[in-house]
């Protein structure tokens, strides 16, 4: 069960690795050319639960979905109800006015269709990358003109019908001479981090990988301890299979992006 859950999480993250590699390549190139960059990591507030049904139907029509298929999707979302049950006690039924069901096949597809045009009106110098409900925008910020770009783009995103969870939105500054400006969203200052988790890979503002290597080592070590404690019959074939399934996964995940550069990380 543990292997199945872990493998499922990794499989879901794999499509996002393409965006991560694009981002890593652009940041590396700009830092090599002495450019400063600012990246904003955005997170929707209750993403799947806030999709408005009428606007979603309008976007489905714009994608050419109509007729009985559109009617089927609309009826699937319309007048859905839910209630809470704890120890046999049940709450009253309430009607769900927005959102797409989580845990379904169609729910994530409808969510992606809805957010697909997020950021279409951002400046040409700004790049926006989206993966599921995780979004990041970044741009070069070498001078005052550049530094006005991201605030204007954030203002445009504020007008989006879905809200962002400001507490989970982060700023990361890249470049040695970066002025590290503060950015605002919905009237709140975004926290600035020197290290952020991007598609299960820890990336730092200086692109060093020490933190990710340490975290990967800790996870792999915990899985080794779990195998040692719980597996009584230590047959070599079983141990090798468990190592490949539960331990090696942490050590090699996205290694094409974070391949080691420093000797102290290799020793770790």
């Amino acid at each position: 069960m543990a292997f199945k859950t872990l493998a499922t999480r990794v499989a879901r993250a794999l499509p996002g690795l393409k965006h991560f590699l694009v981002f890593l390549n652009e940041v590396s190139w700009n830092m090599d050319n002495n450019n400063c960059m600012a990246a904003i990591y955005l997170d929707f507030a209750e993403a799947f639960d806030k999709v408005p049904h009428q606007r979603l139907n309008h976007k489905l029509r714009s994608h050419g979905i109509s007729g009985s298929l559109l009617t089927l999707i609309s009826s699937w979302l319309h007048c859905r109800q839910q209630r809470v049950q704890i120890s046999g006690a049940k709450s009253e039924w309430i009607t769900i006015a927005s959102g797409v069901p989580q845990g379904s096949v169609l729910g994530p597809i409808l969510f992606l269709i809805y957010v697909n045009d997020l950021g279409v009106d951002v400046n040409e110098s700004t790049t926006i990358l989206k993966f599921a409900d995780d979004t990041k925008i970044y741009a070069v910020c070498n001078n005052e003109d550049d530094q006005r770009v991201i605030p204007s783009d954030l203002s445009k995103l504020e007008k989006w019908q879905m809200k962002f969870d400001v507490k989970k939105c982060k700023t990361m500054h890249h470049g040695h001479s970066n002025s590290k400006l503060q950015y605002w969203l919905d009237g709140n200052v975004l926290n600035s981090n020197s290290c952020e988790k991007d598609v299960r890979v820890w990336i730092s503002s200086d692109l060093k990988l020490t933190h990710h290597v340490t975290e990967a080592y800790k996870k792999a070590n915990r899985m080794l301890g779990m195998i040692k404690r719980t597996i009584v019959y230590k047959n070599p074939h079983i141990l090798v299979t468990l190592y490949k399934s539960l331990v090696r996964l942490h050590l090699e995940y996205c290694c094409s992006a974070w391949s080691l550069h420093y000797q102290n990380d290799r020793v770790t």
Side-chain angles (χ1 to χ4, degrees):
M1 180 64 70
F3 164 67
K4 185 176 181 179
T5 303
L6 190 61
T8 301
R9 289 174 57 192
V10 172
R12 289 175 178 173
L14 284 176
L17 296 183
K18 177 183 177 180
H19 285 175
F20 176 70
L21 290 171
V22 170
F23 172 69
L24 193 63
N25 181 64
E26 291 193 30
V27 173
S28 301
W29 186 90
N30 279 284
M31 290 183 67
D32 289 342
N33 288 273
N34 298 318
N35 291 325
C36 297
M37 295 191 70
I40 312 295
Y41 290 80
L42 301 170
D43 195 289
F44 287 111
E46 301 176 353
F48 280 70
D49 299 328
K50 296 295 185 180
V51 176
H53 293 162
Q54 281 191 331
R55 193 168 181 180
L56 174 61
N57 286 338
H58 176 73
K59 291 191 176 184
L60 290 173
R61 291 190 189 95
S62 68
H63 280 78
I65 299 175
S66 60
S68 58
L69 179 57
L70 181 61
T71 302
L72 177 63
I73 295 175
S74 299
S75 62
W76 183 60
L77 296 174
H78 184 64
C79 292
R80 296 181 68 91
Q81 293 186 321
Q82 67 180 17
R83 68 179 178 181
V84 178
Q85 178 176 340
I86 302 177
S87 301
K90 302 176 182 178
S91 68
E92 297 293 329
W93 286 101
I94 62 170
T95 301
I96 303 173
S98 64
V100 293
Q102 300 186 45
S104 63
V105 176
L106 188 58
I109 296 175
L110 294 177
F111 176 80
L112 292 176
I113 291 174
Y114 181 75
V115 301
N116 185 56
D117 59 347
L118 173 67
V120 293
D121 56 346
V122 299
N123 290 278
E124 292 183 0
S125 58
T126 301
T127 303
I128 180 167
L129 295 178
K130 296 168 286 186
F131 173 63
D133 58 342
D134 293 326
T135 304
K136 61 175 171 284
I137 65 172
Y138 56 93
V140 174
C141 53
N142 288 328
N143 51 52
E144 292 184 0
D145 291 335
D146 293 338
Q147 292 168 357
R148 297 191 189 99
V149 171
I150 288 183
S152 67
D153 290 332
L154 290 176
S155 298
K156 295 174 184 177
L157 295 179
E158 283 181 359
K159 299 176 183 178
W160 190 254
Q161 191 164 349
M162 292 183 66
K163 297 295 183 181
F164 292 100
D165 189 342
V166 179
K167 293 181 180 179
K168 293 183 180 180
C169 298
K170 308 294 181 183
T171 303
M172 184 177 292
H173 302 282
H174 301 278
H176 297 294
S177 58
N178 199 307
S179 56
K180 298 183 178 179
L181 293 179
Q182 288 184 327
Y183 296 98
W184 296 71
L185 187 64
D186 289 337
N188 297 281
V189 178
L190 299 181
N191 293 326
S192 179
N193 284 359
S194 60
C195 193
E196 187 65 30
K197 198 174 187 180
D198 193 336
V199 199
R200 298 185 69 242
V201 177
W202 286 98
I203 180 173
S204 63
S205 57
D206 57 4
L207 301 187
K208 291 184 179 179
L209 306 162
T210 301
H211 184 70
H212 179 79
V213 172
T214 302
E215 290 299 314
Y217 169 78
K218 288 180 180 178
K219 289 181 180 179
N221 199 41
R222 285 196 295 267
M223 296 309 297
L224 282 174
M226 184 272 292
I227 293 173
K228 183 178 180 180
R229 292 191 305 271
T230 58
I231 304 301
V232 178
Y233 180 58
K234 293 183 170 53
N235 178 276
H237 176 71
I238 294 176
L239 293 179
V240 170
T241 302
L242 289 173
Y243 177 83
K244 291 180 178 179
S245 302
L246 301 177
V247 180
R248 191 173 176 179
L249 181 67
H250 294 293
L251 300 175
E252 295 185 350
Y253 174 78
C254 199
C255 60
S256 58
W258 61 268
S259 54
L260 300 174
H261 299 288
Y262 296 97
Q263 185 61 35
N264 60 333
D265 291 338
R266 295 176 186 271
V267 172
T268 302

